[in-house]
Amino acid sequence: MSALFKRRLRRRLWHLCLMVLTVSLAMPALASSLEVTDLADRKVLLPDNPQRVILGEGRLLYTLAALQPDDPFQNLVGWRDELIRFDEDVWQRLQQRFPHAEQLARFGKAATGEFDLEQAIALNPDVIVFDLSAWPALREGSALGTLETAGVAVVFVDFLTQADQHMVPSLRLMGQIFADEARAEALITMRQQALEDVAKRLPKPLQRPDVLIETAAGLHPECCRSVGDDNLGRVVRLAGGHNIAAERLPGLFGQLHTEWILSRNPDVIIQTGGDWQVLSSRSIPLGYDVSEDETRAAMRALIAARPGWSTLKAVESGRVHALWHLFYNTPFQFIAVQQVAKWLHPDAMADLNPAAAWQSVHENLLPYPLEGTFWADLEPSP
């Protein structure tokens, strides 16, 4: 056997050993990865125990806080900035308890093309979680292909567009991504029980009062923004009401004219609000730093400023209410269903206690205590 042949044989054996080693090292990762179907109906291979995650929707942090209350930021390298900009009361509480959250990279809205793809790839993420509302924009361009080529798993969840149908699978996906399936299931069970508690109390036969949902009341100068047949519109339906805006709005959100509202003359008006006084002094304050008196005063001022509203049936009968806007895009939407049901069917729901359920969510799931005001009536309870 020649020396040349021996060298070639050793070289081939060396390459073969490298191939075997490479395959053996890769096999555990492949075996422990998980294929899931996201809410865009895409098959996605999740890496095992992802340590570097980007939230393409910042308000997914409400879900993550319930799944990982000890530190919801521990696996994040970046997130969208809207919770920081628009939910200041929550952000201050999170920032105080988890100061390292301030160092995370921040991103714009993917649905409007403001998500910085190069910045995301530079962070070397294992997974990016987007809200389903970003799916139409991302599927049209090359962003998804670029991320997949870079080895990033992209997952779409939905707490917004079809929240009632998509809430449970989205919670389970988040539980799988962050290895907190047990807490996800606990939240799902809590939600299902709360909805059942409403459904079994609804009067039979059911008379559905006409309800106007005004979203972000007073935040914008024009009246009135509302929601169609899903999201908070679905909340009204589950609570035993008829959302009148669904008659006019084919999509998720849209604009209603004052004249139409006056002609429709709803039985009940529900206005949503948040920690937005710095954005508009006319908005209805609700959240962790707000008193009921502040909320009620803002409601009265807004109604008084609107021509014709004093003659509306809901205003004359005192059936005008305020609801925390962020119930619309969090896994805690079932709390809103219970409270709206109490407004619409007070006798049937007399023993229902959404305040106790909301307290339980904070005590058992969230890393900050319950404070402030999350719903209120135009007229205080006697």
Side-chain angles (χ1 to χ4, degrees):
M1 185 181 293
S2 67
L4 178 60
F5 181 83
K6 289 181 179 179
R7 285 197 299 272
R8 287 177 178 174
L9 180 59
R10 283 197 298 270
R11 189 178 298 119
R12 288 177 182 175
L13 288 172
W14 173 246
H15 287 314
L16 181 60
C17 289
L18 283 177
M19 290 174 62
V20 170
L21 179 61
T22 301
V23 171
S24 65
L25 289 174
M27 283 179 65
L30 291 173
S32 59
S33 60
L34 175 68
E35 185 180 77
V36 299
T37 301
D38 71 4
L39 274 297
D41 200 28
R42 301 164 56 252
K43 300 292 185 183
V44 182
L45 194 64
L46 287 179
D48 178 54
N49 194 25
Q51 297 296 306
R52 301 180 63 81
V53 181
I54 295 174
L55 294 184
E57 170 72 26
R59 284 172 175 155
L60 291 175
L61 207 285
Y62 286 104
T63 302
L64 192 50
L67 297 180
Q68 296 185 323
D70 290 340
D71 185 357
F73 299 97
Q74 61 185 302
N75 299 122
L76 300 186
V77 293
W79 62 326
R80 188 182 153 198
D81 61 0
E82 87 278 19
L83 185 145
I84 297 171
R85 293 190 293 135
F86 300 125
D87 303 3
E88 186 176 356
D89 53 348
V90 175
W91 170 234
Q92 286 178 349
R93 282 160 174 77
L94 291 170
Q95 188 181 35
Q96 182 176 7
R97 174 136 185 213
F98 310 106
H100 53 283
E102 182 67 41
Q103 308 305 317
L104 295 177
R106 299 178 186 178
F107 291 85
K109 188 175 182 178
T112 54
E114 299 168 19
F115 185 86
D116 191 328
L117 196 62
E118 291 185 5
Q119 179 190 15
I121 292 174
L123 291 171
N124 192 29
D126 302 311
V127 181
I128 301 179
V129 187
F130 288 109
D131 187 86
L132 189 60
S133 60
W135 166 239
L138 290 174
R139 70 182 173 187
E140 293 300 323
S142 60
L144 287 180
T146 301
L147 290 169
E148 289 166 357
T149 300
V152 182
V154 178
V155 177
F156 291 89
V157 296
D158 183 25
F159 294 87
L160 175 66
T161 58
Q162 299 181 55
D164 183 51
Q165 299 93 322
H166 291 170
M167 186 77 70
V168 169
S170 294
L171 281 170
R172 288 197 169 120
L173 268 175
M174 293 284 284
Q176 290 171 323
I177 292 168
F178 292 97
D180 282 292
E181 291 94 336
R183 291 185 69 86
E185 291 300 324
L187 184 50
I188 288 168
T189 299
M190 185 182 292
R191 174 184 182 273
Q192 290 173 336
Q193 183 60 58
L195 296 181
E196 289 172 8
D197 287 344
V198 171
K200 68 185 181 184
R201 287 172 171 79
L202 287 175
K204 297 177 180 60
L206 178 60
Q207 299 294 320
R208 294 181 178 271
D210 288 338
V211 181
L212 168 67
I213 290 273
E214 183 185 0
T215 58
L219 184 61
H220 308 280
E222 70 278 4
C223 170
C224 290
R225 298 194 176 197
S226 192
V227 62
D229 201 35
D230 218 305
N231 198 273
L232 291 177
R234 182 68 170 169
V235 166
V236 170
R237 190 189 310 171
L238 291 171
H242 170 63
N243 170 33
I244 63 171
E247 302 168 7
R248 305 283 290 185
L249 303 179
L252 183 58
F253 298 108
Q255 192 79 16
L256 298 175
H257 295 297
T258 299
E259 294 77 11
W260 184 81
I261 293 172
L262 294 174
S263 67
R264 198 60 183 73
N265 199 12
D267 300 306
V268 179
I269 296 173
I270 300 173
Q271 301 175 305
T272 71
D275 187 17
W276 302 328
Q277 292 297 288
V278 69
L279 301 174
S280 171
S281 61
R282 298 178 63 193
S283 65
I284 295 177
L286 282 165
Y288 289 88
D289 295 326
V290 178
S291 70
E292 281 192 42
D293 288 342
E294 291 176 280
T295 305
R296 196 170 289 122
M299 294 169 68
R300 289 172 176 161
L302 189 59
I303 289 170
R306 288 179 168 170
W309 270 54
S310 62
T311 65
L312 285 173
K313 186 191 314 180
V315 176
E316 289 180 337
S317 63
R319 299 189 75 184
V320 181
H321 313 282
L323 183 71
W324 189 49
H325 185 76
L326 276 303
F327 284 127
Y328 93 114
N329 194 19
T330 71
F332 317 122
Q333 201 174 94
F334 62 89
I335 300 292
V337 174
Q338 288 207 341
Q339 183 55 45
V340 172
K342 283 187 74 73
W343 287 329
L344 303 187
H345 304 284
D347 292 338
M349 304 292 163
D351 64 338
L352 199 65
N353 194 344
W358 194 216
Q359 181 69 47
S360 179
V361 167
H362 285 77
E363 290 178 353
N364 296 299
L365 293 173
L366 293 176
Y368 41 82
L370 177 58
E371 305 171 279
T373 302
F374 294 85
W375 51 80
D377 306 320
L378 181 64
E379 303 298 335
S381 300

